[in-house]
Amino acid sequence: MELTDRYIAELPFADGASYAARDDLPGFFVAVGKRKKTFTVQCDVRDDLGRRRTKKAVIGMFPDITVRQARAKAKATIGQWQTAARFEERRKDWTLGEAWEHMRDFELPRKGSRPRTIEGYEKVLRVHMSDWLAVPLRKFADKPHLIEERHHQISRKSGPYAANGYGRAFRRLYRYAQAKLDRELPLVQWSSVITWNQEERDKSGMGDEDLPGWFAQLQSVPNPVRREFHLLTLLSGSRPDALSKARWSDLKLKRRALDIPEP
């Protein structure tokens, strides 16, 4: 039946379990409890996998709002739910920013990426791709020349290494989205799209002929702990930052191994 204010006012409060008086608008009813009469709306929608699930929400309390007000709000709520469900059934166009947030929140933590690594991605996106965060990735697949043009601009403005860093960051984000977010994203060989800048190898490493001079310099370090630290860094091949975080509990004497959990 069509609920009215008078009808609801005359409904007795529940003695035990609450009961419902339903309106002729499907999904709209008033739940009558021991002390309250609550306008409620309920609707079945489909999730991303096509499974049916029930959504339910409280509209308001009687007599704080009238039946007419509650019915109008119920219609609007049901309409929003149904529209959202139909929207979810369509293929989602993942944007560059959404792909980054997903990779940052799900992929990188499980892979044990260091905060510095995550901050590096954040910086590249903020400095070189902030105007692209709301752009669907499919747009870049349709117009790959935009990626190459941006790489050329960064090369001139910030240098070859910054441009290559931008290219690698975009490539990884796109590959992540294509593999884990939207399998319908076109497969693009970004390594062929981008004309990578030449990068010089780091030539600061030492050869055998450099070791005598290095040991002589080591002996001039006054702090004995610092001397041993430099020697252990040389012999282990570890990064100094990682080695500085090692603890005695990380040393496994029987295995002759040093396991450093962080980073």
Side-chain angles (χ1 to χ4, degrees), residues 10-188:
E10 294 175 351
L11 287 174
F13 287 106
D15 292 333
S18 61
Y19 65 94
R22 299 188 177 276
D23 190 65
D24 57 3
L25 173 65
F28 174 53
F29 60 93
V30 60
V32 183
K34 294 181 179 180
R35 299 183 182 84
K36 298 179 180 179
K37 299 176 182 180
T38 308
F39 291 116
T40 309
V41 62
Q42 182 174 309
C43 179
D44 288 340
V45 296
R46 299 280 180 178
D47 64 11
D48 291 340
L49 297 178
R51 299 171 298 190
R52 189 171 69 179
R53 55 190 177 91
T54 301
K55 300 193 73 170
K56 188 176 180 180
V58 171
I59 298 297
M61 302 294 178
F62 180 84
D64 296 341
I65 63 173
T66 66
V67 173
R68 184 175 181 179
Q69 293 170 330
R71 186 183 291 110
K73 191 172 181 180
K75 287 182 179 179
T77 302
I78 292 174
Q80 290 173 359
W81 286 346
Q82 292 176 339
T83 300
R86 284 195 295 271
F87 178 77
E88 289 172 1
E89 290 175 359
R90 301 200 303 267
R91 177 182 52 78
K92 175 178 174 57
D93 278 333
W94 287 86
T95 66
L96 180 69
E98 290 171 337
W100 161 242
E101 291 172 358
H102 199 281
M103 189 175 82
R104 178 195 63 197
D105 297 339
F106 294 96
E107 174 81 355
L108 297 181
R110 285 183 293 179
K111 285 199 168 185
S113 297
R114 302 174 62 186
R116 186 180 300 176
T117 300
I118 299 175
E119 291 172 4
Y121 277 109
E122 290 274 15
K123 182 178 179 181
V124 171
L125 285 163
R126 182 177 66 254
V127 175
H128 302 304
M129 292 182 275
S130 60
D131 58 328
W132 284 354
L133 295 180
V135 178
L137 289 168
R138 188 171 296 273
K139 295 290 186 181
F140 299 111
D142 295 337
K143 299 179 179 179
H145 67 276
L146 295 175
I147 305 302
E148 167 65 2
E149 290 173 0
R150 179 65 58 91
H151 182 268
H152 183 61
Q153 293 169 3
I154 298 173
S155 296
R156 290 187 301 173
K157 182 179 179 180
S158 304
Y161 290 91
N164 285 355
Y166 140 82
R168 284 190 287 265
F170 179 86
R171 180 180 61 186
R172 182 173 181 186
L173 275 172
Y174 190 94
R175 286 178 176 175
Y176 177 83
Q178 201 276 332
K180 299 191 176 183
L181 302 180
D182 184 3
R183 290 298 181 92
E184 295 183 15
L185 270 177
L187 186 61
V188 181

